[in-house]
Amino acid sequence: MAIPEAERHRGRARPPAARARVPLRQLLRVASVACGIQFGWALQLSLLTPYVQELGIPHAWASIIWLCGPLSGLVVQPLVGHMSDRCTSRFGRRRPFIAGGAASIAISVLIIGHAADIGWLLGDRAGGVRPRAIAVFVFGFWILDVANNMTQGPCRALLADLTGKDHRRTRVANAYFSLFMAVGNVLGYATGSYSGWFKIFPFTLTSACNVNCANLKSAFILDIIFIAITIYISISAAQELPLGSSDSAAPFTEETGQSSHAQEAFLWELFGTFRYFPRPVWIILVVTALTWIGWFPFILYDTDWMGREIYGGEPNDGQNYSSGVRMGSFGLMINSIILGITSLFMEKLCRKWGAGFIWGVSNILMFLCFLAILVVTYVANNMGYVEHHDSPPVGIVVAALVIFSILGVPLAITYSVPYALVSSRIEPLGLGQGLSMGVLNLAIVIPQVVVSVGSGPWDQLFGGGNSPAFAVAAVAALAGGVVAILAIPRTGAPKSGLLHKSWFRNLKQRVLEALFELAASADT
C-alpha cells in the first residue's frame, strides 16, 4: 500500500516536543464559541423558513433557499480546514479563521434582518411577493452559511489539536462543544419564541418591516452581541502557537511550516485521502450521511410543521401560523435543554456501552420520534379544528412538544459522537484535523443537498405539507441506527468481520450486555 503524502512529509518533519495536557477548564472556555455560533443557528432554524414564506416564496420552494448552506459547506469547510492546517499566522492556525468567520456572521445577519427595508428602498411594497427583498435575503443567507462553515470547522479542529492523541479527552472536548451548542440553542430558541423584541428595539419596526420582521431583526442584533462575547472568550483561551513552533504538533509541516506540496489543489488532496481510509472510517461516513438525511427535513420544517399541521395556519394569513412558529421555537428550546443534559453524560455513556452502539440507539430513537410526528399529523388533520381555524387542542400541542423534547437526546449524540469517532480514526493516518473535519462535513452536506433539492417537489407529489419529508427522515434514521449498531465496533471490539453471517448473534449479545450493565448500575 502506498504511503500517504502526509505521512512522507511527517517522516521528514522535526519531531514535536511533548505538550502538557490541556486543562479541562481551558477546553471548556475554547468550546464556549459553540454557544455564540449556535445562538445564531437557532434563530436561523426557527425563524427563517417562516420568514421567507412571508416574503412571498412558496412552501414548495422554501427548501431551495436552504440549498446554499450545504453547497457552501461542500466547498468552504474542507477548504478552510485545509488552509487552517497550513496557516502560518502569528495568531495561530485556527483562530484567524474563527475570528474572520464571526465577523462575516455579524455582517450577514445585518443584511438578512434589513432585507425587507432594503427591498422597500429598491421598490418593493407590502403584500404579495417581494422579489427585491428576497434577493437581498438570499445574498445575506449565502454569506451567513459561508461564515458558519468558515467558523465551525476550525473550532472543531482546534479542540482536536488541543486534545492530541488522548481519545478520551477528545470525546470530552466534543461533549463540551455539544453542551455549549445546547446552551446556545436554548437562548436562541427562547429569543425566537418571544414576540416582544420590537418593543425593546422600537427602531426595528418600519413601514417595510412588520412585527414579525422587527422581532427577527432585533434577535439578530442580540446575536451579534452574543457571538462577539463568546468568540473573545474562546480565542483568548486557545493559546495557539504559530505553525512551525517547537511544540506545535501540527501534521503536514516541516520546520518552516511549508513544503513543496503545500500548494496542491485542495480538492484533489481531499478526495485523494479517501483511498487511505480504513473500513471503520467509511462506516462512520455512511452512518453520518444517513443520520443527516434524517435530521435535515426536521431542521427545515420543524417550526413550519408546528405552524401548518398543528396550528392549521398559513404565512400572512391570520395569527395561527405565527403562534405555531413561536410554539415550535419553545419546543426547540426544551429540545436544547435535553440536548445539554445529555451532553453532560456523553463520555460516561460512550465509555460504558461504546460510541457506535450509543449512536445507533439514538438514531432508532430519531426514527420513533419522526414516526410519532406522522401519527400526530394524521390525528390533527382528522380532528376538524383546522377547517374552522380554531386553536389546536392542548393534547395535540403537548404531544408535539414532547416529540421535540425527546429529539434532544439523539441531537446531542449527533453533535458529538461522529466528530470524536472520525477524529480518533483519521489522526493515525497523519492527516490534519482541519482536513478530517472537512471530510466528515462532506458526509453531512451531500445529504443536505439531496434533501434541499428533493423535499419540496417530494412533498408536492403527495399533496403538500411536511409529512412526506418526515417519512423519508424516519426511514433514513432507522437505516443509520441499524448500521451503527452492527458495524461500528464497541471499545475493544475487533475491527474486522463486522458484517459476517453471525451478525444476529452479535446484536443479541450487545443488547444483553447493555441490559445487564443497566441492571447492575440500577442495583448500585
Side-chain angles (χ1 to χ4, degrees):
M1 175 177 169
I3 300 175
E5 194 71 31
E7 281 290 342
R8 294 205 299 268
H9 287 286
R10 199 177 179 186
R12 297 197 301 267
R14 181 172 59 191
R19 285 188 306 184
R21 205 180 198 193
V22 177
L24 291 177
R25 181 175 64 256
Q26 184 178 353
L27 290 178
L28 194 68
R29 289 180 60 193
V30 173
S32 67
V33 67
C35 188
I37 296 172
Q38 203 64 23
F39 182 89
W41 264 113
L43 295 175
Q44 180 179 344
L45 298 177
S46 62
L47 300 179
L48 291 191
T49 293
Y51 181 58
V52 297
Q53 294 179 75
E54 290 180 5
L55 293 179
I57 297 177
H59 174 266
W61 297 105
S63 61
I64 300 297
I65 299 296
W66 286 82
L67 184 62
C68 59
L71 286 179
S72 65
L74 187 65
V75 176
V76 173
Q77 195 166 120
L79 175 60
V80 169
H82 173 87
M83 293 173 64
S84 69
D85 283 337
R86 291 166 164 76
C87 179
T88 58
S89 168
R90 64 188 180 91
F91 298 106
R93 291 189 296 166
R94 317 296 181 187
R95 293 193 296 176
F97 293 93
I98 295 172
S104 300
I105 289 173
I107 294 171
S108 63
V109 297
L110 285 175
I111 294 173
I112 292 172
H114 291 83
D117 297 302
I118 297 173
W120 182 277
L121 292 175
L122 295 177
D124 282 343
R125 289 298 176 261
V129 179
R130 290 183 267 180
R132 297 167 185 84
I134 292 171
V136 173
F137 172 87
V138 171
F139 175 70
F141 198 36
W142 273 88
I143 297 177
L144 177 60
D145 277 300
V146 168
N148 277 322
N149 283 295
M150 180 178 175
T151 308
Q152 290 208 46
C155 288
R156 294 277 193 180
L158 178 57
L159 288 173
D161 291 341
L162 294 174
T163 54
K165 296 181 180 181
D166 189 337
H167 296 164
R168 179 183 177 276
R169 190 149 287 211
T170 299
R171 293 197 301 269
V172 170
N174 279 280
Y176 284 165
F177 198 88
S178 180
L179 173 63
F180 277 111
M181 290 178 80
V183 175
N185 275 336
V186 170
L187 298 174
Y189 291 133
T191 301
S193 64
Y194 180 59
S195 60
W197 290 116
F198 72 97
K199 298 176 183 177
I200 300 174
F201 301 97
F203 59 88
T204 58
L205 193 62
T206 64
S207 300
C209 194
N210 61 16
V211 170
N212 292 334
C213 170
N215 281 324
L216 175 72
K217 193 188 302 182
S218 302
F220 278 147
I221 293 173
L222 295 174
D223 178 32
I224 293 172
I225 298 171
F226 197 56
I227 197 170
I229 295 172
T230 55
I231 286 288
Y232 174 76
I233 293 172
S234 178
I235 64 177
S236 64
Q239 298 177 356
E240 276 193 298
L241 292 172
L243 189 62
S245 296
S246 59
D247 60 347
S248 173
F252 291 102
T253 61
E254 296 182 4
E255 289 194 15
T256 62
Q258 301 290 335
S259 74
S260 60
H261 296 271
Q263 301 303 321
E264 290 176 338
F266 106 93
L267 282 176
W268 174 260
E269 180 172 341
L270 176 62
F271 290 108
T273 60
F274 287 177
R275 56 182 167 166
Y276 303 113
F277 289 168
R279 186 177 183 179
V281 173
W282 282 109
I283 293 170
I284 293 169
L285 297 180
V286 169
V287 177
T288 300
L290 290 170
T291 301
W292 279 98
I293 290 175
W295 276 122
F296 205 55
F298 179 75
I299 289 172
L300 278 176
Y301 298 125
D302 42 24
T303 55
D304 185 71
W305 173 74
M306 190 75 82
R308 289 177 183 273
E309 273 83 353
I310 302 302
Y311 276 75
E314 293 290 337
N316 299 316
D317 185 15
Q319 292 299 314
N320 278 18
Y321 184 77
S322 297
S323 298
V325 168
R326 287 195 296 272
M327 185 59 69
S329 296
F330 177 73
L332 292 173
M333 183 186 71
I334 302 175
N335 168 285
S336 300
I337 293 173
I338 303 299
L339 190 159
I341 295 172
T342 305
S343 298
L344 295 175
F345 298 96
M346 189 75 64
E347 164 59 19
K348 185 175 182 180
L349 291 172
C350 291
R351 190 171 64 248
K352 177 175 285 191
W353 289 333
F357 184 78
I358 293 296
W359 193 6
V361 170
S362 76
N363 275 25
I364 292 175
L365 183 59
M366 280 172 58
F367 159 72
L368 295 175
C369 288
F370 294 148
L371 195 63
I373 285 177
L374 297 175
V375 172
V376 171
T377 301
Y378 177 80
V379 172
N381 289 338
N382 287 275
M383 292 187 70
Y385 69 87
V386 173
E387 289 80 2
H388 299 91
H389 301 286
D390 295 332
S391 298
V394 174
I396 292 291
V397 176
V398 169
L401 292 177
V402 168
I403 295 170
F404 275 44
S405 302
I406 295 174
L407 281 170
V409 175
L411 190 59
I413 293 165
T414 301
Y415 282 161
S416 176
V417 169
Y419 296 93
L421 284 175
V422 81
S423 176
S424 62
R425 282 162 173 78
I426 285 185
E427 187 273 337
L429 301 179
L431 304 177
Q433 289 294 348
L435 191 60
S436 68
M437 293 300 107
V439 168
L440 183 65
N441 190 63
L442 292 177
I444 296 173
V445 300
I446 291 175
Q448 291 181 8
V449 171
V450 174
V451 173
S452 294
V453 172
S455 61
W458 175 259
D459 289 343
Q460 291 301 304
L461 183 64
F462 291 92
N466 299 310
S467 294
F470 283 127
V472 172
V475 173
L478 178 61
V482 172
V483 174
I485 291 174
L486 298 180
I488 298 179
R490 296 175 66 182
T491 303
K495 294 182 174 60
S496 60
L498 297 173
L499 291 176
H500 53 71
K501 60 185 179 180
S502 62
W503 63 275
F504 282 109
R505 186 172 68 251
N506 292 340
L507 175 61
K508 178 181 177 181
Q509 181 180 353
R510 292 181 183 185
V511 172
L512 288 175
E513 287 175 2
L515 290 175
F516 284 138
E517 291 174 2
L518 182 63
S521 63
D523 291 339
T524 59

